[in-house]
């Protein structure tokens, strides 16, 4: 019988049952390694790997044919040299995180528009805060870079809350969810920035997206704009964003991802003005829905794999998505 | 020509133009008092008053026939003795605040579910916060007490975000917006509390609603429940809520209104566990949409008044709504 290893501690008993029964149907026996570590002498027996393995350990899986990461951003796993063979198939769990990250996006959008951080800090100091001018999602013009699962789930929610216009920006011109009022390509972004109230970045990290929101592009946003990033920190010229925030050239930002994580002591990003900073938690795996979806997507691709069909969440390591 | 006084500083130039033209059509001349104060020697000339007058000043408006409060909660204006005559008609601006308060409700719901206060405080201390277990609106069972404009705008948004069930609770059994999966009366509330994930109070303050969420009712909620109040502080037995929070009998609460405002120094509510506290700002007038709607509703009722039709936002001072 072929063997499958599942690495990580996010599984509940019903997920084990679901993986076990799918694997049995597909001719696989399953071993679980909740601490993520597979002893080197056992690694060679596994044809399939699902979860969050240490990058450096991948080469010890000498029989590996398919690795499914239980996360969406697989940029750390693109190098062929990490694998025992360049033929190992890489898939991700894109599609599991849309709901939780969309809820994060709606939350931080409203927190920026309604000064929530200021009120939290005032209340912690036992102060009855001042009345501060608020803004609304209703009537806002929103630009979402990345029209995949995350961007789409966010666009649907922002639409339901009355956004005036939601423009999706993607690499290539293809139709997107009807929640997007229009779709544009990356090279059209700059024409959209000057009337953007809220710029949301939900980009995978690929060679193309490093420094995507450059100093020049930040300067095209109005002073009243907010920037939100839930993709990868590398997509933003972080020093340029800090400069713009501190100079009042932007109304604020909410970042869940950073160039370096955790943020180092003394990094100026800690003290940037009107910055709502969360420690890369928008898409973490504690939410039941995310775990359920993650396992369901893997099981779906396990059935595809066993039947010799293409895998739904295949990642081309050369282009990064 | 009959005279109308507008009190308060929330009007922008286009609001003045809108009120002026409506008033002219209705046979009224308008005077504006941005600071809210009308000299006693002038007060007697006004038949209609719109805005936020000092309670004690109302009796000086000796010709007053109609007072429209530019707010939704008119509980401080119910006493007949405040008026020069018990025949003065009272209306409110219910309907202007649904959007802004619904956005507040979605924001604080997500902040509770996703530990936003903890992350704001960690970031302010330059600490990269821990991963904390998150929950979702998707799949939640929500009980909304008050199915008017505020409750309805919130229900629509929560529905769009995937809530499993939204139960509306109101005084009398009448149909409500389709965003409510079911409608119940106040006397059925207690049967809904044990499986409530999120209890939202959007009640007017009337003699019936004082202490509405009693110690006994709080005890019927599961330990995993959150309580949110945007109506009036008097609707909750506040010491009982503080006890429940501190004892871990509730997962958390978000209060925008309190028994005493501003909260006094030393009040135990300042230090209640898992309490997100905002200083009565969910329905403040800084948001353009709220101002626009407020003025539009007044102008609509001014047309009704001039034509001798019933006023759309009439408040019966005996029952308080």
């Amino acid at each position: 019988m072929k063997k499958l290893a599942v690495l990580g501690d996010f599984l509940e008993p019903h997920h084990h049952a679901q993986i076990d029964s799918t694997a049995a149907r597909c001719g696989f026996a399953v071993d679980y390694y909740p601490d993520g570590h597979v002893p080197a002498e056992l690694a060679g027996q596994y044809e399939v790997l699902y979860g969050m393995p240490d990058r450096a350990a991948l080469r010890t899986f000498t029989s590996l044919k398919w690795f499914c990461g239980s996360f969406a951003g697989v940029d750390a796993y693109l190098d062929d040299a990490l694998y025992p063979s360049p033929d190992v198939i890489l898939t991700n769990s894109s599609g599991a995180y849309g709901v939780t990250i969309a809820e994060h996006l709606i939350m931080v959008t409203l927190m920026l528009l309604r000064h929530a951080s200021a009120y939290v800090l005032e209340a912690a100091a036992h102060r009855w805060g001042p009345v501060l001018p608020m803004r609304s999602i209703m009537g806002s013009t929103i630009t979402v870079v990345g029209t995949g699962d995350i961007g789409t789930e966010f666009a649907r929610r922002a639409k339901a809350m009355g956004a005036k216009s939601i423009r999706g920006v993607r690499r290539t011109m293809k139709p997107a969810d009807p929640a997007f009022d229009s779709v544009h390509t990356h090279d059209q972004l700059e024409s959209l920035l000057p009337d953007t109230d809220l710029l949301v970045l939900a980009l995978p990290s690929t060679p193309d997206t490093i420094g995507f929101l450059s100093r020049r592009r930040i300067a095209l946003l109005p002073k009243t704009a907010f920037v939100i990033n839930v993709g990868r920190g590398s997509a933003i010229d972080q020093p340029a964003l800090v400069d713009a925030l501190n100079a009042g050239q932007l109304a604020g930002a909410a970042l869940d991802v950073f160039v370096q994580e955790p943020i180092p002591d003394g990094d100026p990003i800690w003290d940037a003005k009107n910055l709502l900073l969360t420690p890369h938690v928008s898409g973490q795996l504690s939410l039941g829905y995310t775990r359920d979806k993650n396992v369901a997507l893997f099981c779906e691709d396990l059935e595809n794999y066993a039947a010799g069909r293409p895998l739904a969440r295949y990642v081309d390591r050369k282009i990064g998505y």
Side-chain angles (χ1 to χ4, degrees), chain A residues 1 4 18-30 298-299 302:
Chain A
M1 199 174 229
L4 154 65
Q18 187 180 357
I19 293 171
D20 288 344
S21 70
T22 308
R25 205 161 48 238
C26 295
F28 277 86
V30 191
F298 169 69
C299 288
L302 183 56

Side-chain angles (χ1 to χ4, degrees), chain A residues 171-245:
Chain A
R171 286 177 303 263
T172 51
M173 183 50 73
K174 281 191 217 164
D177 190 271
F180 292 104
D181 293 290
S182 61
V183 184
H184 310 262
T185 53
H186 283 186
D187 60 346
Q188 298 169 320
L189 173 72
E190 295 180 11
S191 69
L192 302 174
L193 295 176
D195 72 340
T196 291
D197 292 314
L198 184 70
L199 177 67
V200 173
L201 301 179
L203 281 170
S205 180
T206 73
D208 282 353
T209 62
I210 308 249
F212 182 85
L213 188 62
S214 61
R215 189 175 289 272
R216 194 171 53 80
R217 286 176 167 172
I218 290 170
L220 292 174
L221 287 162
K223 285 186 180 183
T224 50
F226 294 101
V227 171
I228 302 181
N229 189 13
V230 291
R232 279 288 183 268
S234 61
I236 296 183
D237 179 338
Q238 195 167 291
L241 184 73
V242 171
D243 289 347
L245 289 169

